[in-house]
Amino acid sequence: MKENSITYWLKAVVVSIGLLGLAFFGGATAYGFYFKPDYNDPLPVYLRQNIIGLWITAIICYVILYFFWRIVKEIGNENSFSMENAKNFKNIGICGVLIIIENIISIFVWLFKNEMGFIQLSYTLLKIVVFIIFVILCYAMSRLVQNAYEIKQENELTI
């Protein structure tokens, strides 16, 4: 019963994050194109220039939520330490690497187009550092779950 209540809470968190993401990415798109017709304001201009990268990030974030949903499902099945969860954490880490690559490409595109600003560069570098930490944690969790799975398998064989 305890696993089920945790599972319900985690699923509620996943759904909430998904809805917040939709509000954020949808709101940013609407703000950049519909609600702010002043084309001299820097934020809507930035959003319009970077809308493709914004939505690539959104898609990757939803893929991360999908893999986390699968982890939550395994927890609900009382199978927390499984190879499936180890693979799911590794896949989440791969998504983090994709976001890092996307941000590095963005920096090069801005340099090529001569649109690089200090705030833009600082924010992007901060995202890269945060996602490097995220990827390291995901791979560590993957390895931890895999080790726990192997220990669990060994214990089941000795009983």
Side-chain angles (χ1 to χ4, degrees):
M1 184 67 177
K2 189 175 187 180
E3 289 287 332
N4 287 335
S5 70
I6 291 171
T7 303
Y8 292 132
W9 280 105
L10 289 173
K11 285 182 178 180
V13 167
V14 171
V15 170
S16 298
I17 291 172
L19 293 173
L20 284 171
L22 188 60
F24 173 78
F25 292 112
T29 302
Y31 183 77
F33 288 97
Y34 300 113
F35 297 139
K36 199 69 174 169
D38 180 9
Y39 286 90
N40 295 320
D41 192 0
L43 183 59
V45 171
Y46 173 80
L47 290 171
R48 284 190 294 278
Q49 289 173 345
N50 297 291
I51 198 68
I52 293 172
L54 183 78
W55 278 98
I56 289 172
T57 300
I59 291 167
I60 295 171
C61 286
Y62 281 106
V63 172
I64 289 171
L65 284 177
Y66 166 74
F67 286 119
F68 188 70
W69 184 273
R70 291 179 57 173
I71 290 169
V72 171
K73 209 167 120 179
E74 288 295 316
I75 292 170
N77 293 336
E78 297 187 13
N79 195 22
S80 300
F81 302 120
S82 65
M83 286 308 291
E84 281 299 313
N85 276 351
K87 289 176 188 174
N88 288 328
F89 275 116
K90 192 175 280 188
N91 289 334
I92 291 172
I94 290 169
C95 290
V97 170
L98 292 175
I99 290 177
I100 292 168
I101 291 168
E102 177 209 347
N103 282 284
I104 291 170
I105 290 170
S106 294
I107 290 172
F108 284 113
V109 168
W110 294 330
L111 286 172
F112 178 75
K113 293 169 74 177
N114 201 20
E115 295 176 350
M116 179 67 70
F118 176 72
I119 294 174
Q120 196 173 358
L121 178 62
S122 301
Y123 176 68
T124 304
L125 290 175
L126 177 64
K127 285 194 300 186
I128 290 170
V129 169
V130 167
F131 274 96
I132 288 171
I133 294 167
F134 175 79
V135 168
I136 290 168
L137 290 174
C138 287
Y139 286 128
M141 286 297 297
S142 174
R143 190 70 185 136
L144 180 73
V145 169
Q146 184 177 352
N147 287 344
Y149 171 75
E150 291 169 1
I151 291 170
K152 181 177 131 184
Q153 293 297 77
E154 289 174 12
N155 287 340
E156 287 177 0
L157 290 176
T158 57
I159 295 177

